[in-house]
Amino acid sequence: MLGVLRGMGITLKNFLASYVLPRRPDSLETGGIVTVQYPEERLPEKENFRNFPFLVFDGTVDNIRCVSCDICAKECPPKCIYIVRDTDSEGKPLKRPKVFDIDFTVCMNCGICEEACPFDAIFMDHEFEIGGPERQKSLVYHRDDLLKSTAHFQKIRPTDFAAIEERRKKDAEKKAAAQATVQAAAQPKPQTPPSPQP
Amino acid sequence: MDPIFVNSKKALLNLFSAFLPDWTVVLVSIFISIGAIMVLGPFTMMYLTWFERKLLGRIQNRIGPNRVGIFGLLQPIADGVKMLTKEDIVPEGADKAVHLLAPIAIVIPSLLVFSVLPFGRNMTAVNLNIGVLFFLAVSATTTLSIFMGAWASRNKFSLLGGMRSVAQLVSYEVPMVLSVVPVILAAGSLSTVDLVESQGGWNGFKWFVFTPWGFTAFITFYLSGVAECNRTPFDIPEGESEIVAGFHTEYSGMKFALWYMAEFMNVFTVSGLTAVLFLGGWQGAPGLPSWAWFFIKTYALVFVMMWFRGTLPRLRVDQLMGLAWKFLLPLTLVNIFVAGLWFFIPDLRWRVGTAVALLGLTFWALMALNRTALPEKRTYEFAE
Amino acid sequence: MNPAEIKTKLESEFPGIPIQIVGEGLLLGPEDLVRVARFLKESGEFKMNYLSSITAVDYLEHLESVYHLYSVDQRTGPVVLRVRVPRDNPRIPSLVHLFRSAEFQEREAYDMMGIRYEGHPDLRRIFMWEGFEGYPLRKDYLPENEDVLEWDDVEWLERHGVTVPAEYKQYAQDLKAAGKEARAERPKPGAEAV
Amino acid sequence: MSPPVLEKTFQASDPVLQDTETFEVNLGPQHPSTHGVFRMNVKLEGETIVSLKPVMGYLHRNHEQIAENMSYLGSMPYTDRLDYFNSMSNNFGYALAVERLAKIDVPERAQYVRVIMAELTRLVNHVSVIGFLLNDLGAFFTPVLYAFREREKILDVFEEVAGSRMMCNYLRFGGVKRDLTPAVTERIKKIVRGFPKFLDEFEGLLTRNEILCIRCQKVGVLPYDLAVNAGITGPMARASGVNYDLRKVDRYSIYDRFKFKIPLGKIGDVYDRYLVRILEMRESLKILEQALKEIPAGPVMNPKFAALAKAPRNFKPPKGEAYGRVEAPKGELGFYLVSDGTAQPWRYHVRAPSLINLTVLEDLCLGHKVADAVIILGSIDIVLGELDH
């Protein structure tokens, strides 16, 4: 009997506390209502939260970082990425994707594409409300759906953005220095127009 | 405030008697009472579902329904619309006629028992001189409906649920009836109205619950009542984790809603009867109207039933039977004897002492006899 | 305890028993498995009373069943036992009567690799359905090609009132006639065994 | 020790059972308390179970073959989906096996982070499983929601650290994916400090509750001998008194540095399994406290293998085999890997505790009621993702 009464006391305590204590879903304290009224209220977004991937461009949409090297497509565990390299009018392959499809019905949000990408071109987004009225077509995202600016990346993950930018700057400096030494060693040649940002 | 319902009915009847013959006025009076019950029953059921969901939500640190209407008050109506528009699925092998009849048949007794509940002073629909007996007898027929539904579904889970339900309801009928006996002894009447009236005075201290035998009978009656309503911790006929949904596994749509309606109306009527028998019914401090007292007491008991649901796991079928036959039945029998002694012994101190001693002794003896079924203490080693 | 020591102990217990050390494990013949396992379990020295894992490996030229034995009382282990059997007739005596833990794991190995554990009380497929053909974890298993309508699919569709175009039906019938191997062409695994 | 009896069924000549007919019920695959798509083929005499055959495979997705066609790192997110309540433990087991195979060292701080995550996972698993057990017992969602209230706090930490609440994919060969920030460490400390209070409340609600006691005591008794013989591991074995916890036996990772004890039950019924889990949570909290106090600064990834994450296809462990096992919350989780020197494992086998702990289900349920079968299954603690791999 006593055990039952004690249990009932605890539930009664929780019942009363739900009226007395403020609603605090994100608190570490026990007691009070923990519900988050979802569409109106949201928990603060965690910076490291990962959901579906997106492609980054620098500045303008033409300036995609992706060079369509196909590494992410190969490393993707469920194989949900499909890439076709773009070609110019003469059929010469360009360093950017013509088709970059991700099937979000298959994607399992593991983040291995982000880790594997050597060009910092693909990152995991915070956007998770992608539900649609049908199961197949609206969840296959194409290149233009996936493109988002670096500013977006900076907004959702400032820490990672800062670290990556710093690394990229260093790499670029190193590269420039290396190029300079190469150029200094060799005779300066007429420069070819720079290809899109690697 | 107190006679507001009574007076309004009277006014209505006066209005009719002005231009109608007398015998139609009687008919109108009956229809008004029936109409009131027909509205009250389903309305109670609808808002009890809301109340239960809200209460369980609060117990579980949730809010409960709050989207439809303010505080989710329109939720039961939305549910009703949903239930009405849902597809009605009847299994292929089912006995279709009985499958249809069972949920209808279960609502009728649940509504009938409303007629003998005294909702307030002079607010009993039918002042039957065997009111309590009527209540117990009519509510006992729910067993049949439940078994009809279980059998007609032709589903093994339903059948298991039905068999559990019959076993349980029949067993708990016995302590339930026996725990009413002392109250009837004290009041000398089977009419619910007389029962309430015999508990008047002393500002509440003449309620039967304040006597030792009354208290024991209150507990046993209430527990049996909870079992009769198939509520946690005695909800084995439904047993949603074991036998899916028990007897109403194969019901959908409005038929399913009818099962629920019956269950919640039973919750209300059993709580109401408990209040009538032991808590003085509509008797209470004069500040509030009598019907308010009745509803306060009834809803307090309903609250406890829902609180049980929010706290307790359910018993197993054999333990449930054990509780009824090995514990409640002997206790209620002794209780009748104690109540008899109570009226036999004139001195107050002596009769309280005897009653408490006898009941305590019985309780202790029953605990000792049932000790194999009681929990044991465990110790645990801690290894490196 | 390293494998070499166990090997000498076992050899002194069962004279003339062929035991080889492969990796960390002892390679036994299928006929010796039960008596060695019983000895390891019951001898006071080893007390290997806990069979942690049974699995099977397909090494292309043979199938191998691998047993990891531990001792709960002495907290030693593992003793790894290996049994190699030919691919076309893989039969290994079951250990269920010594270790109940073998019950589901042997069923699993049977389901996935097709090793028959003789003496198992209930050797059925555990994960795949009854009537499933082939053993999915063998390296030569050819998975069903999802893009091709097979005869079973045609039958299913017709049962559900879908008309299948005649050319698909013909193709499915041809496939059925040609047998399972015709269904999909996949390169044989080029990797070598350990 | 005599060999345990396999076919322990009631005899038809048993006087109790004469003149009655057995009655066959399929509990599952769609059933509220089979914890997924799992089926128990039950024969009943009245409500008493005379035979019970588990049927599984409804969630089988050939995990092992997927892993054999995948780079080593590519299987890491798939291990999350084995026992989807404890992805960190699964990651841990797999990382341990691969590290043993490729002989990779793990830096100090990463070891601590791993232990912290594994123990938090244990808390998550045990509170939820007790909640579900109570749901099976018929308590209407209150314990499970109290448990989930606390679980949310820990899952928030996982989200903060690993990026995902349940599918963490956090461990890497030679370390972990991301370092703990001081804010997160502080948060974990707070959770660890607040957890005993919750456990007290939870125990107040449950442990001495008479209904729970009489439902759980002497139900589904697993004797010591059978537990060892059937390879039962985890809290289930320890409830039967088997003193076998891999954290103490193998002392993998850095578990030898912490002071904690292994609670052992004596009878091995459902109640012992329940209470051993509670006591284990209290011990886990001790480990967490020590780990959080002692955690050193430093890298969280072995620098030699940090580049590996960038190109998983280049990770080719030497030829050989390894069996790595950890004490996952459900029992011994083992990964058996055979490498042929390429980037894909030649053989990848999971020793799933859920599957092997289920071996004794029939023995535990015989002679009990249907309602007991449900709670026995609940106390075994299976997750179908792992069981059916």
Side-chain angles (χ1 to χ4, degrees):
Chain A
M1 278 312 282
L2 290 174
V4 169
L5 291 179
R6 193 169 161 209
M8 292 190 62
I10 283 167
T11 45
L12 187 68
K13 204 180 83 196
N14 272 283
F15 174 70
L16 297 176
S18 77
Y19 287 101
V20 177
L21 295 175
R23 195 153 57 83
R24 41 186 182 182
D26 201 28
S27 160
L28 290 179
E29 302 294 317
T30 300
I33 289 178
V34 291
T35 312
V36 184
Q37 300 273 337
Y38 162 62
E40 297 96 39
E41 290 174 24
R42 280 146 198 272
L43 288 176
E45 264 179 11
K46 309 269 188 303
E47 196 188 325
N48 292 334
F49 172 62
R50 63 180 143 80
N51 211 292
F52 295 106
F54 68 97
L55 289 174
V56 190
F57 60 83
D58 288 310
T60 57
V61 181
D62 299 333
N63 215 356
I64 309 177
R65 277 191 194 170
C66 176
V67 298
S68 77
C69 65
D70 225 24
I71 286 180
C72 54
K74 281 197 192 103
E75 297 299 347
C76 176
K79 304 275 179 287
C80 66
I81 304 177
Y82 175 72
I83 303 174
V84 175
R85 188 177 279 243
D86 201 2
T87 50
D88 61 7
S89 51
E90 290 154 26
K92 208 176 128 218
L94 290 177
K95 279 190 165 184
R96 59 177 187 161
K98 184 175 160 198
V99 178
F100 196 108
D101 289 354
I102 301 183
D103 188 348
F104 283 171
T105 56
V106 175
C107 175
M108 61 181 193
N109 321 348
C110 62
I112 283 187
C113 48
E114 174 188 316
E115 283 171 55
C117 182
F119 302 99
D120 303 312
I122 188 167
F123 289 104
M124 304 307 276
D125 203 351
H126 284 188
E127 179 68 35
F128 54 89
E129 289 155 320
I130 61 161
E134 56 88 61
R135 301 196 295 170
Q136 305 293 340
K137 289 200 179 98
S138 64
L139 285 172
V140 177
Y141 273 46
H142 304 293
R143 194 190 70 172
D144 297 342
D145 310 326
L146 292 166
L147 282 176
K148 280 177 184 170
S149 66
T150 41
H152 174 74
F153 181 47
Q154 187 175 19
K155 201 185 96 203
I156 59 171
R157 285 161 63 180
T159 323
D160 285 356
F161 178 78
I164 285 168
E165 282 306 297
E166 199 176 326
R167 182 162 51 73
R168 280 176 69 83
K169 212 184 275 171
K170 264 188 204 156
D171 285 357
E173 276 165 17
K174 230 186 264 170
K175 213 171 173 186
Q179 218 161 20
T181 46
V182 168
Q183 273 175 8
Q187 286 300 317
K189 294 189 279 193
Q191 286 260 318
T192 46
S195 56
Q197 187 77 26
Chain B
M1 262 319 260
D2 189 2
I4 177 168
F5 293 110
V6 182
N7 287 349
S8 45
K9 188 182 166 186
K10 259 184 202 153
L12 216 60
L13 287 180
N14 284 340
L15 194 73
F16 282 116
S17 63
F19 55 89
L20 285 178
D22 279 357
W23 61 272
T24 37
V25 174
V26 176
L27 266 186
V28 167
S29 156
I30 291 171
F31 276 119
I32 289 173
S33 301
I34 291 178
I37 287 170
M38 293 295 273
V39 171
L40 181 71
F43 190 78
T44 310
M45 171 261 172
M46 279 161 64
Y47 279 91
L48 279 184
T49 58
W50 172 86
F51 182 55
E52 172 158 46
R53 289 171 66 181
K54 218 53 187 166
L55 200 149
L56 286 178
R58 289 286 174 169
I59 282 180
Q60 293 162 359
N61 304 125
R62 298 184 285 119
I63 299 175
N66 69 339
R67 293 287 161 133
V68 195
I70 185 167
F71 299 125
L73 274 172
L74 298 180
Q75 186 70 44
I77 293 163
D79 284 347
V81 172
K82 187 198 91 177
M83 286 293 189
L84 276 169
T85 51
K86 264 182 96 165
E87 187 191 354
D88 176 38
I89 302 163
V90 182
E92 209 171 80
D95 185 338
K96 300 208 170 48
V98 183
H99 187 265
L100 172 70
L101 272 177
I104 299 169
I106 198 168
V107 178
I108 295 167
S110 316
L111 272 173
L112 273 179
V113 293
F114 271 89
S115 60
V116 293
L117 277 185
F119 292 101
R121 190 172 281 120
N122 301 326
M123 273 174 68
T124 316
V126 184
N127 184 5
L128 214 57
N129 57 357
I130 50 158
V132 177
L133 198 62
F134 176 81
F135 186 101
L136 295 172
V138 169
S139 63
T141 57
T142 53
T143 319
L144 194 64
S145 316
I146 288 179
F147 197 69
M148 270 163 73
W151 185 260
S153 299
R154 195 175 279 208
N155 175 313
K156 286 170 181 171
F157 292 121
S158 296
L159 185 61
L160 275 177
M163 294 196 302
R164 284 176 175 197
S165 157
V166 171
Q168 175 188 336
L169 296 185
V170 168
S171 312
Y172 277 87
E173 206 67 43
V174 181
M176 191 170 180
V177 174
L178 288 179
S179 41
V180 181
V181 174
V183 179
I184 297 166
L185 271 180
S189 167
L190 277 167
S191 156
T192 45
V193 177
D194 295 350
L195 277 169
V196 176
E197 269 159 11
S198 68
Q199 297 179 60
W202 293 6
N203 269 339
F205 281 100
K206 282 189 87 176
W207 298 354
F208 292 136
V209 74
F210 294 119
T211 55
W213 51 268
F215 183 73
T216 316
F218 169 66
I219 300 288
T220 52
F221 184 84
Y222 189 64
L223 283 182
S224 315
V226 173
E228 287 281 300
C229 302
N230 300 333
R231 301 283 304 176
T232 317
F234 308 106
D235 61 343
I236 58 157
E238 285 176 37
E240 83 279 343
S241 64
E242 296 148 20
I243 49 172
V244 189
F247 55 86
H248 57 63
T249 307
E250 293 289 0
Y251 282 92
S252 61
M254 204 55 212
K255 290 182 191 165
F256 178 75
L258 286 178
W259 287 112
Y260 257 75
M261 186 186 271
E263 177 178 330
F264 279 101
M265 288 196 299
N266 280 343
V267 166
F268 182 82
T269 47
V270 164
S271 303
L273 191 70
T274 315
V276 165
L277 291 176
F278 302 100
L279 302 179
W282 43 260
Q283 306 273 10
L288 281 174
S290 59
W291 43 268
W293 277 112
F294 174 81
F295 280 102
I296 287 171
K297 286 171 192 172
T298 307
Y299 276 105
L301 290 171
V302 170
F303 175 85
V304 175
M305 267 196 208
M306 287 170 181
W307 184 13
F308 277 155
R309 181 144 193 234
T311 313
L312 300 177
R314 80 169 67 84
L315 289 158
R316 202 170 56 211
V317 61
D318 54 328
Q319 291 160 347
L320 197 79
M321 295 295 121
L323 180 67
W325 293 107
K326 295 180 192 162
F327 189 81
L328 293 182
L329 179 67
L331 192 64
T332 45
L333 283 173
V334 171
N335 197 35
I336 295 172
F337 176 65
V338 169
L341 275 184
W342 178 274
F343 298 111
F344 186 70
I345 300 170
D347 182 55
L348 183 74
R349 264 176 300 169
W350 269 101
R351 63 187 188 184
V352 171
T354 329
V356 170
L358 262 176
L359 286 170
L361 195 71
T362 319
F363 187 80
W364 176 81
L366 286 174
M367 283 300 213
L369 285 170
N370 288 321
R371 65 183 173 279
T372 49
L374 289 175
E376 56 190 41
K377 272 218 165 104
R378 293 279 170 91
T379 52
Y380 292 85
E381 277 174 36
F382 287 88
E384 268 307 319
Chain C
M1 211 178 292
N2 64 45
E5 285 173 36
I6 302 168
K7 187 184 169 208
T8 39
K9 294 246 168 67
L10 283 176
E11 273 167 350
S12 66
E13 179 70 25
F14 304 108
I17 189 171
I19 295 179
Q20 261 178 284
I21 294 177
V22 177
E24 291 168 9
L26 305 165
L27 179 64
L28 305 169
E31 63 285 350
D32 298 322
L33 175 68
V34 173
R35 56 177 180 159
V36 169
R38 173 167 286 139
F39 170 71
L40 286 175
K41 181 186 170 192
E42 284 166 7
S43 78
E45 195 187 343
F46 289 100
K47 278 193 188 158
M48 292 291 164
N49 51 1
Y50 166 43
L51 175 60
S52 167
S53 159
I54 299 179
T55 186
V57 188
D58 182 1
Y59 284 116
L60 295 179
E61 61 264 26
H62 49 74
L63 296 173
E64 188 177 281
S65 193
V66 187
Y67 301 80
H68 285 82
L69 287 162
Y70 289 87
S71 168
V72 167
D73 304 337
Q74 300 179 341
R75 299 191 169 190
T76 50
V79 174
V80 185
L81 303 180
R82 298 154 178 279
V83 178
R84 286 184 178 168
V85 280
R87 283 169 70 93
D88 46 353
N89 186 22
R91 282 169 193 282
I92 296 177
S94 168
L95 288 186
V96 174
H97 295 286
L98 282 173
F99 299 100
R100 270 297 292 283
S101 53
E103 192 181 336
F104 282 1
Q105 303 195 62
E106 284 183 353
R107 273 178 74 183
E108 188 190 342
Y110 163 70
D111 193 358
M112 295 295 150
M113 289 286 192
I115 297 178
R116 297 195 165 274
Y117 290 93
E118 291 183 327
H120 191 290
D122 186 24
L123 193 65
R124 285 179 295 132
R125 288 195 175 272
I126 188 167
F127 294 140
M128 309 308 282
W129 56 96
E130 290 167 31
F132 180 82
E133 281 173 36
Y135 301 104
L137 281 182
R138 285 202 188 181
K139 293 286 174 186
D140 57 357
Y141 174 75
L142 302 171
E144 191 178 338
N145 192 344
E146 284 170 18
D147 302 335
V148 178
L149 270 188
E150 289 183 14
W151 187 245
D152 292 346
D153 304 327
V154 172
E155 276 182 343
W156 188 90
L157 285 170
E158 285 188 337
R159 255 209 316 282
H160 287 77
V162 180
T163 15
V164 182
E167 43 188 329
Y168 286 100
K169 225 164 151 178
Q170 188 57 42
Y171 183 71
Q173 216 153 17
D174 292 349
L175 264 183
K176 196 188 176 196
K180 194 175 168 52
E181 283 67 30
R183 281 178 197 170
E185 289 290 314
R186 236 170 57 129
K188 286 259 189 262
E192 291 164 26
V194 179
Chain D
M1 202 197 305
S2 61
V5 189
L6 252 184
E7 293 297 325
K8 192 173 72 183
T9 45
F10 281 78
Q11 296 298 310
S13 58
D14 203 329
V16 186
L17 305 181
Q18 266 173 11
D19 298 333
T20 54
E21 217 177 298
T22 55
F23 169 64
E24 203 173 325
V25 183
N26 275 316
L27 292 178
Q30 276 100 27
H31 187 274
S33 30
T34 49
H35 301 232
V37 273
F38 171 71
R39 179 153 68 98
M40 290 187 281
N41 197 337
V42 184
K43 280 207 184 76
L44 298 176
E45 277 293 349
E47 283 222 13
T48 311
I49 294 169
V50 290
S51 143
L52 185 149
K53 295 280 172 236
V55 182
M56 50 211 122
Y58 293 95
L59 207 61
H60 181 59
R61 52 214 187 280
N62 224 339
H63 178 77
E64 295 178 2
Q65 199 182 46
I66 291 173
E68 284 167 22
N69 293 317
M70 183 88 43
S71 67
Y72 280 87
L73 184 66
S75 302
M76 188 62 93
Y78 279 107
T79 60
D80 291 340
R81 274 105 180 139
L82 272 178
D83 176 357
Y84 38 78
F85 269 96
N86 319 312
S87 53
M88 291 283 192
S89 301
N90 302 344
N91 287 178
F92 201 172
Y94 182 53
L96 213 66
V98 175
E99 278 154 15
R100 201 164 286 172
L101 190 67
K103 305 196 174 51
I104 304 174
D105 292 327
V106 182
E108 215 35 14
R109 185 174 170 85
Q111 295 274 27
Y112 274 92
V113 174
R114 284 176 173 198
V115 166
I116 290 168
M117 291 302 152
E119 293 307 317
L120 283 176
T121 307
R122 198 179 309 279
L123 296 180
V124 167
N125 179 70
H126 285 356
V127 286
S128 356
V129 88
I130 289 168
F132 294 142
L133 174 66
L134 263 292
N135 245 18
D136 292 346
L137 275 166
F140 192 79
F141 287 98
T142 306
V144 84
L145 282 164
Y146 288 178
F148 271 35
R149 187 183 72 202
E150 300 308 307
R151 173 176 172 261
E152 284 303 296
K153 295 173 187 168
I154 298 174
L155 290 190
D156 280 350
V157 169
F158 288 171
E159 188 181 353
E160 187 97 50
V161 173
S164 189
R165 290 150 53 79
M166 290 179 80
M167 304 296 138
C168 295
N169 184 18
Y170 179 57
L171 269 60
R172 290 289 177 266
F173 313 130
V176 296
K177 188 169 144 193
R178 210 188 294 265
D179 198 0
L180 296 182
T181 59
V184 173
T185 320
E186 219 29 61
R187 203 176 161 85
I188 299 175
K189 270 182 193 160
K190 259 189 210 155
I191 290 172
V192 170
R193 239 175 278 138
F195 211 83
K197 203 177 136 203
F198 159 70
L199 275 183
D200 290 342
E201 185 191 20
F202 210 44
E203 277 211 79
L205 182 61
L206 305 173
T207 303
R208 304 294 310 150
N209 186 317
E210 279 79 4
I211 297 180
L212 182 126
C213 290
I214 58 174
R215 277 299 302 276
C216 294
Q217 287 179 351
K218 294 173 223 144
V219 168
V221 177
L222 176 67
Y224 179 94
D225 289 352
L226 183 61
V228 173
N229 195 284
I232 308 299
T233 43
M236 195 175 165
R238 291 193 281 279
S240 299
V242 182
N243 184 4
Y244 199 70
D245 187 320
L246 298 184
R247 291 175 292 175
K248 289 281 187 195
V249 176
D250 279 9
R251 296 172 177 272
Y252 61 90
S253 193
I254 48 164
Y255 274 109
D256 46 350
R257 299 185 195 172
F258 303 116
K259 277 205 183 86
F260 65 102
K261 286 181 173 162
I262 309 297
L264 295 178
K266 283 178 185 146
I267 297 172
D269 53 8
V270 175
Y271 189 75
D272 275 355
R273 271 169 240 152
Y274 152 74
L275 213 61
V276 160
R277 288 201 172 96
I278 294 256
L279 295 173
E280 238 173 54
M281 278 194 268
R282 294 193 187 272
E283 298 298 322
S284 282
L285 288 172
K286 281 184 202 162
I287 300 178
L288 278 169
E289 268 169 22
Q290 295 169 45
L292 285 166
K293 206 160 63 186
E294 294 163 10
I295 184 165
V300 290
M301 190 73 190
N302 189 333
K304 260 192 272 176
F305 291 89
L308 194 81
K310 288 276 173 197
R313 293 270 155 186
N314 296 344
F315 177 58
K316 291 174 182 164
K319 276 186 186 184
E321 56 169 17
Y323 182 61
R325 48 179 202 162
V326 289
E327 182 70 31
K330 293 189 164 48
E332 176 188 325
L333 176 69
F335 285 89
Y336 178 68
L337 295 169
V338 178
S339 161
D340 60 350
T342 61
Q344 296 174 352
W346 179 255
R347 179 80 175 97
Y348 167 102
H349 172 72
V350 187
R351 186 244 189 243
S354 292
L355 175 69
I356 292 154
N357 287 358
L358 207 63
T359 313
V360 290
L361 180 66
E362 184 175 10
D363 304 57
L364 300 188
C365 288
L366 286 186
H368 288 299
K369 303 270 184 283
V370 187
D372 293 331
V374 166
I375 61 167
I376 289 168
L377 185 71
S379 72
I380 290 176
D381 185 9
I382 58 167
V383 155
L384 267 289
E386 183 181 67
L387 196 143
D388 283 344
H389 39 268

